[in-house]
Amino acid sequence: MSEKVKEYESEDLTVVWKPEKCIHSERCFKGLSEVFDPKARPWVNVNGASDQTIKEQIDKCPSEALSYKLNNETMENTSDIQDEQIVEVVKGGPLMVYGNIKVKHHDGSETSKHRVTAFCRCGASSNKPYCDGSHKKIDFES
């Protein structure tokens, strides 16, 4: 089964949304409601703010369900963070790791992550070690 991908395009910018990766952190619409409105259809209004403002908000997406591409370029956004990682414990939510990291899995495989990675703290995720938003369903508090 192929991954579902939705694209919302303006003249210079395309916002890419992968709903199956979304952990519903709500950072997108709480940070930029002029662009991201889950009650509207379509829920992404690429003309609601400047391209730079939209890109900055997308860079805060912890699951990388949101990304963007510049229509005159072929690369999707990548992080400029080179050497520093920041770890944030979200009250009642995941452990957020900002920066470029390599995750070593119990089976010996490795996954490279960029920008922001959300790790499960509640133990209920079906996508461990990553958060899938299950903390909200179980009313996790910590």
Side-chain angles (χ1 to χ4, degrees):
M1 185 170 130
S2 64
E3 182 178 43
K4 185 187 296 186
V5 177
K6 303 230 179 201
E7 295 189 353
Y8 306 90
E9 193 170 324
S10 71
E11 185 177 336
D12 297 319
L13 183 74
T14 298
V15 174
V16 179
W17 182 48
K18 297 178 181 177
E20 289 145 5
K21 287 183 80 174
C22 187
I23 63 170
H24 308 289
S25 70
E26 302 175 354
R27 289 186 181 205
C28 53
F29 70 85
K30 285 187 176 175
L32 193 59
S33 60
E34 312 81 63
V35 175
F36 304 103
D37 181 355
K39 294 180 182 170
R41 294 295 174 258
W43 81 281
V44 177
N45 173 14
V46 290
N47 297 311
S50 71
D51 290 349
Q52 184 62 35
T53 300
I54 294 171
K55 291 188 309 186
E56 288 171 1
Q57 191 63 38
I58 287 172
D59 285 341
K60 297 174 185 173
C61 179
S63 64
E64 296 183 352
L66 284 170
S67 61
Y68 59 83
K69 54 188 173 186
L70 302 176
N71 294 341
N72 57 359
E73 295 181 15
T74 57
M75 277 182 39
E76 284 192 14
N77 58 318
T78 58
S79 176
D80 289 336
I81 300 171
Q82 298 296 320
D83 297 325
E84 182 178 49
Q85 292 77 33
I86 299 169
V87 178
E88 173 188 7
V89 178
V90 177
K91 182 177 168 75
L95 186 68
M96 306 297 291
V97 179
Y98 300 86
N100 297 324
I101 62 170
K102 193 167 286 196
V103 179
K104 292 185 178 186
H105 300 278
H106 62 86
D107 64 1
S109 64
E110 294 183 357
T111 305
S112 293
K113 295 293 204 170
H114 308 283
R115 293 188 346 200
V116 183
T117 305
F119 289 99
C120 176
R121 283 195 315 131
C122 72
S125 175
S126 60
N127 189 32
K128 291 181 191 90
Y130 308 107
C131 176
D132 69 358
S134 293
H135 56 276
K136 290 185 178 195
K137 295 175 192 160
I138 66 167
D139 293 323
F140 177 70
E141 291 185 28
S142 176

